[in-house]
Amino acid sequence: MYNKGLFHSWVPKPVMLLLIVLIAALYCGISGIYTTNITYITGSTGAMTEYYLWANYAYAIGLGTVMPLIVRIKARFRTKELLVTSLTMCGVLFIIQGTSHQPFIIIACSYLIGVFKMIGMMEVVLPLMMLLSTGGNRGIFYSIYYSALLVITQLSGYYVAKISHLYNWQISYMYIAMICFTGAMICIIFQHNQRFMRKVPFIYIDWISVLLFNTTFMILAYILAFGKQQAWFESETIGYAAVSFFILLFVFVVRQQLIRRPFLPLNAFKKNNVRHGTIMLLCLGMYLATATIQNIFAVGILGYNPETNASLNLLLIPGLVSAAIVCYNWFKNEIPLRMLVFSGFSAFLMYSIMMYLSMSTTFSYSMWYLPMFFKGYGMGVIFVATWYYTLDKLDLASMLGLIGFAILWRTFIAVGIFSATYSWVQYQFQIQSLNNLAVYLDDAMLLRAGSGISLPLVQLNGVLSATKLIYGYINIAGIGVLLYTLFHHYGRIRTLKTRVYINKLGTLMMSKKDKESIEKQLPDHI
């Protein structure tokens, strides 16, 4: 007998809803590596920061790997088996991370946490989608789900940093493991042990493509994480890794086109909304990667400790809540996407302009409120709107495969490319700024008593100047992004060429072929 629900029949429906929300919130707070915690991990293990940046990218790769396989996994195992195993394995992996000082073990655990998290999370996301998608409107579900996901992510990152500051980073990981085990116990008690559908073995899965997918993007993650540290292509290791990446990517793409059931359906990229949605997610990565230079300013210039720096993420929450309200009403009233996307990128531009004008050592904590509100609003709106637009009008197989790639593109590739670029450019601008300041210094001035020249202050001014330059270039690029989002058609057809004629009775006629062509091109909601 099959049961499409999650819990025993004796569980009251309000309790079922509460349990689904609690388990979903638990999964939203799980991460392979907490970026707010990296400073403490680096100080404790003695390994370079780049290893843990690589671990963060590996976590995103683990998330993306599961999505194309989720239907096969769901058909093979019971829902209870998936949730209990997922939460238990996440807890075990957090314990391994918290007791290890080897960066490669932490990287492997981070990847596996991404895999098990996505396997279990889809079991609670699908029921929530059915409950929240009023009248089949996915936009309403995205407005609530993604906003909640982003809010919980900020809260979990802050509390992990706070616990690490008060005790140590291992304790924070033990707390997360205990929460995972508690969630697994709840699933054991309240979930039924029946199947969702008929048991189907693991067939028609191209495991070679899965291996190629993981190997290719793990190499790319290594390049983006260690590029600056190894002087990019001046390093033989980075050069060999880049060649390997392009060869494996070529093999992967060719294989997807040749096999009957591809792991990643490349035909989806023939759709106009998928291509433009990918571009918009790249633009989103440009702004999300500003966290790199924001951290340089907050920690390097203002002297914030990791806990205070992590608390800045809490200032995003009012903007995220505002974005959720706006997106919910926008999709509920079925308003075209153009101005919603435009408002999101406009908020991001306001954030970068305010940061550009605020590069000063006198920047107080209260001055973060407004720019972080704009950043939170932009993040919430663009996450929801671009995800909805990119996945619109796709069949289930194409959508699941594309979701895996889109997670990778949004969370890892786009952010990784711009983060690596910002780090390298900031360093180059800092050297250039110090060279410019050195023009006014000489030995006589430096050695003269009472000259009042402080070399640390000179370096501080160099960092400020470099950071301000980067924000300036982001502002210029942001204007281009606004123009692009304003003039993109979002699936609306401006003109249609048709053949019409008038019959003997004077009636305007159109061929059946032209009618079908118009119906295919017009969106569902204009």
Side-chain angles (χ1 to χ4, degrees):
M1 184 176 179
Y2 306 124
N3 189 336
K4 296 185 182 299
L6 291 178
F7 303 104
H8 288 292
S9 57
W10 54 263
V11 180
K13 289 186 177 180
V15 177
M16 288 184 185
L17 181 60
L18 177 62
L19 291 174
I20 291 174
V21 172
L22 287 176
I23 296 171
L26 192 160
Y27 275 113
C28 290
I30 292 175
S31 179
I33 200 85
Y34 292 88
T35 54
T36 56
N37 210 28
I38 287 180
T39 302
Y40 297 110
I41 300 176
T42 303
S44 174
T45 62
M48 294 185 295
T49 306
E50 285 77 10
Y51 283 107
Y52 304 108
L53 188 59
W54 192 11
N56 189 39
Y57 295 155
Y59 162 72
I61 295 170
L63 293 175
T65 302
V66 172
M67 281 309 301
L69 308 175
I70 199 67
V71 174
R72 295 293 177 188
I73 295 172
K74 192 172 181 64
R76 174 61 180 82
F77 300 102
R78 295 179 175 87
T79 302
K80 185 174 186 177
E81 293 171 346
L82 292 175
L83 280 171
V84 173
T85 303
S86 169
L87 290 170
T88 303
M89 287 303 301
C90 284
V92 170
L93 291 167
F94 276 120
I95 291 175
I96 294 173
Q97 282 187 323
T99 54
S100 174
H101 284 72
Q102 296 297 322
F104 288 106
I105 294 178
I106 294 177
I107 291 168
C109 290
S110 181
Y111 169 80
L112 292 174
I113 287 172
V115 170
F116 285 108
K117 173 185 173 178
M118 186 56 75
I119 290 174
M121 193 171 188
M122 290 307 297
E123 295 300 314
V124 292
V125 168
L126 293 177
L128 285 175
M129 182 182 291
M130 299 299 295
L131 291 170
L132 299 176
S133 298
T134 307
N137 191 336
R138 291 184 298 109
I140 294 177
F141 165 71
Y142 291 149
S143 303
I144 300 172
Y145 170 70
Y146 272 115
S147 301
L149 171 66
L150 292 170
V151 168
I152 294 171
T153 300
Q154 312 311 318
L155 289 171
S156 61
Y158 169 71
Y159 282 108
V160 165
K162 185 173 183 178
I163 294 171
S164 300
H165 182 74
L166 293 175
Y167 306 104
N168 58 53
W169 70 273
Q170 289 96 337
I171 296 296
S172 64
Y173 276 65
M174 297 303 162
Y175 282 165
I176 299 168
M178 290 194 322
I179 293 172
C180 290
F181 292 141
T182 303
M185 287 299 299
I186 290 173
C187 293
I188 292 173
I189 295 170
F190 292 100
Q191 272 198 280
H192 62 73
N193 201 35
Q194 295 173 329
R195 291 191 175 276
F196 176 83
M197 58 189 296
R198 182 173 61 88
K199 182 179 178 180
V200 179
F202 274 147
I203 56 175
Y204 305 129
I205 296 177
D206 184 23
W207 295 107
I208 296 177
S209 291
V210 176
L211 180 62
L212 284 171
F213 181 85
N214 283 274
T215 307
T216 301
F217 289 108
M218 282 298 287
I219 291 173
L220 179 61
Y222 172 81
I223 294 171
L224 295 177
F226 285 88
K228 178 186 173 184
Q229 186 264 336
Q230 298 194 21
W232 290 99
F233 295 103
E234 293 183 13
S235 167
E236 289 186 1
T237 307
I238 296 294
Y240 291 143
V243 172
S244 302
F245 166 71
F246 285 112
I247 292 173
L248 290 174
L249 181 63
F250 176 76
V251 173
F252 176 76
V253 170
V254 171
R255 184 172 181 82
Q256 302 316 294
Q257 294 175 338
L258 295 178
I259 61 177
R260 184 178 178 184
R261 295 179 178 86
F263 175 75
L264 179 63
L266 299 179
N267 289 334
F269 290 95
K270 294 180 180 179
K271 292 186 175 293
N272 193 59
N273 62 299
V274 173
R275 293 195 301 268
H276 285 281
T278 304
I279 294 173
M280 291 178 191
L281 289 174
L282 182 67
C283 298
L284 171 64
M286 179 183 76
Y287 284 109
L288 294 181
T290 55
T292 302
I293 49 178
Q294 179 183 303
N295 289 339
I296 293 173
F297 177 61
V299 177
I301 304 299
L302 302 180
Y304 290 173
N305 60 37
E307 181 189 359
T308 306
N309 188 37
S311 69
L312 296 178
N313 294 334
L314 299 181
L315 303 181
L316 297 170
I317 294 178
L320 292 171
V321 173
S322 301
I325 296 171
V326 170
C327 290
Y328 178 85
N329 289 284
W330 204 282
F331 286 107
K332 183 179 179 181
N333 295 299
E334 298 182 351
I335 305 173
L337 282 176
R338 176 180 284 109
M339 296 313 297
L340 180 63
V341 178
F342 184 80
S343 71
F345 281 115
S346 297
F348 270 132
L349 183 60
M350 286 297 298
Y351 158 76
S352 62
I353 290 174
M354 294 185 72
M355 292 304 298
Y356 175 80
L357 298 174
S358 303
M359 286 293 110
S360 169
T361 55
T362 59
F363 193 87
S364 64
Y365 192 87
S366 60
M367 295 171 70
W368 286 102
Y369 294 162
L370 192 55
M372 296 304 282
F373 172 84
F374 282 122
K375 186 178 183 181
Y377 176 84
M379 186 186 300
V381 166
I382 301 303
F383 260 74
V384 173
T386 54
W387 201 256
Y388 176 85
Y389 178 59
T390 304
L391 302 178
D392 193 24
K393 298 177 183 177
L394 293 175
D395 59 88
L396 181 61
S398 298
M399 184 174 70
L400 290 175
L402 191 64
I403 287 175
F405 175 77
I407 290 173
L408 226 65
W409 181 261
R410 181 195 66 193
T411 310
F412 152 46
I413 300 175
V415 176
I417 289 172
F418 282 105
S419 294
T421 302
Y422 293 160
S423 297
W424 182 79
V425 171
Q426 200 275 344
Y427 181 69
Q428 299 301 318
F429 282 168
Q430 184 178 341
I431 293 175
Q432 182 61 47
S433 179
L434 290 174
N435 288 335
N436 295 338
L437 292 171
V439 172
Y440 304 98
L441 303 176
D442 56 25
D443 293 345
M445 183 180 296
L446 291 172
L447 297 175
R448 187 175 61 218
S451 63
I453 295 175
S454 172
L455 291 180
L457 288 178
V458 172
Q459 185 178 12
L460 201 67
N461 284 324
V463 175
L464 274 175
S465 176
T467 307
K468 187 169 185 176
L469 269 174
I470 295 176
Y471 272 116
Y473 284 116
I474 293 173
N475 293 338
I476 295 171
I479 295 173
V481 172
L482 286 184
L483 293 175
Y484 164 67
T485 56
L486 186 62
F487 291 106
H488 178 55
H489 55 75
Y490 296 94
R492 295 166 66 97
I493 306 300
R494 294 177 181 273
T495 58
L496 294 172
K497 293 182 180 180
T498 59
R499 295 181 295 278
V500 296
Y501 59 92
I502 300 175
N503 64 7
K504 293 180 179 180
L505 298 177
T507 306
L508 192 66
M509 303 294 292
M510 184 186 303
S511 69
K512 183 179 180 181
K513 181 179 179 181
D514 287 331
K515 287 182 180 179
E516 293 175 352
S517 176
I518 291 173
E519 290 174 356
K520 288 180 180 179
Q521 294 182 67
L522 288 176
D524 294 335
H525 304 290
I526 302 179

